Amino acid sequence: LRTERGTGTNILGFIVMLVLMQGVALAALYPEDRMLKTFRRILVSPVHVGKYLFVQFIFTFLCLYIPTYLAIVITHVLFHAEIGFHLDILAGLLCVLTVLATAFAIFMASVMNRNISLMTSGISVITCVLSGCFISFAPHHPLLNVLCAILPQKAYMTFIHGVEMGHSMREYKAQVVYILMWSAVFCFLGGFITRRRTNKGIYE
């Protein structure tokens, strides 16, 4: 791959951080339900924790994906802005990112009760900088280099850069699977924490 970045990689690099932060903002209904005791009343019905979180996941995903994709498409069509990807390819790339952002939002909303957006903003900015979402970042410190390689945003940037350079999306199955694994872990931990707190009566 060429070392220089294309327009599409730069655009999606900035969008990574925005989507991560916006996902938590959209998932604010979940902690709000807990605070207003609505969550407890929902669990009295046949709806269990898993179903509730699944619905929250779908709602957050759709509210993230549709406006983000439409905003880029409208900018491209009406203002003829170069986005670096075909619209169908962009749809797939955004889908992978939105799944990660939604899972991260569910996890953070499950772990924290307040100041969620503040904490998430800090985490998103730091991890996106270390992952090279804004500029290419190659740390010389071995420990920092390992940490950066672990971050799912790093795999995503490798994925979109390769696709923009003309490679097939199939060639980056490893990166996609890695991102989806992070998403699955976030969802699992979010559900596990919520169930454990529910069983302890914390949300009573």
Side-chain angles (χ1 to χ4, degrees):
L1 293 178
R2 299 199 303 270
T3 56
E4 67 270 14
R5 288 188 171 189
T7 304
T9 303
N10 287 328
I11 291 175
L12 285 184
F14 280 98
I15 289 177
V16 169
M17 186 188 70
L18 297 177
V19 170
L20 287 174
M21 295 169 64
Q22 188 62 25
V24 175
L26 290 169
L29 292 176
Y30 172 31
E32 184 177 299
D33 283 344
R34 298 197 308 256
M35 184 180 64
L36 298 177
K37 306 298 182 182
T38 306
F39 184 63
R40 181 186 62 182
R41 293 195 294 270
I42 291 174
L43 294 183
V44 174
S45 69
V47 177
H48 54 75
V49 172
K51 286 184 178 179
Y52 175 87
L53 292 180
F54 181 67
V55 172
Q56 285 285 355
F57 185 95
I58 294 176
F59 172 79
T60 305
F61 176 87
L62 293 177
C63 290
L64 268 179
Y65 181 80
I66 295 175
T68 304
Y69 182 68
L70 287 180
I72 298 175
V73 170
I74 290 172
T75 304
H76 174 65
V77 173
L78 294 184
F79 302 102
H80 306 288
E82 177 59 41
I83 59 175
F85 301 102
H86 294 294
L87 294 181
D88 55 340
I89 294 177
L90 177 66
L93 298 179
L94 273 180
C95 183
V96 175
L97 172 61
T98 309
V99 168
L100 175 64
T102 304
F104 177 66
I106 296 297
F107 170 72
M108 292 300 296
S110 300
V111 172
M112 303 184 65
N113 292 321
R114 57 184 62 185
N115 297 326
I116 303 176
S117 294
L118 180 63
M119 179 64 70
T120 305
S121 298
I123 294 174
S124 299
V125 171
I126 293 173
T127 54
C128 285
V129 169
L130 293 178
S131 301
C133 292
F134 309 122
I135 58 173
S136 297
F137 182 78
H140 299 289
H141 195 283
L143 183 60
L144 188 58
N145 194 29
V146 172
L147 175 63
C148 294
I150 293 174
L151 297 173
Q153 295 102 310
K154 184 73 172 180
Y156 185 75
M157 295 306 297
T158 302
F159 173 42
I160 62 175
H161 183 230
V163 172
E164 187 176 17
M165 293 299 104
H167 290 250
S168 170
M169 295 177 69
R170 297 187 184 91
E171 298 181 43
Y172 292 89
K173 289 181 180 178
Q175 282 78 12
V176 174
V177 170
Y178 184 71
I179 295 168
L180 295 180
M181 284 178 58
W182 267 95
S183 303
V185 170
F186 281 138
C187 288
F188 172 78
L189 291 178
F192 176 79
I193 292 170
T194 302
R195 288 189 186 92
R196 189 168 184 178
R197 291 179 176 177
T198 301
N199 293 336
K200 288 183 176 181
I202 295 178
Y203 300 137
E204 294 296 329

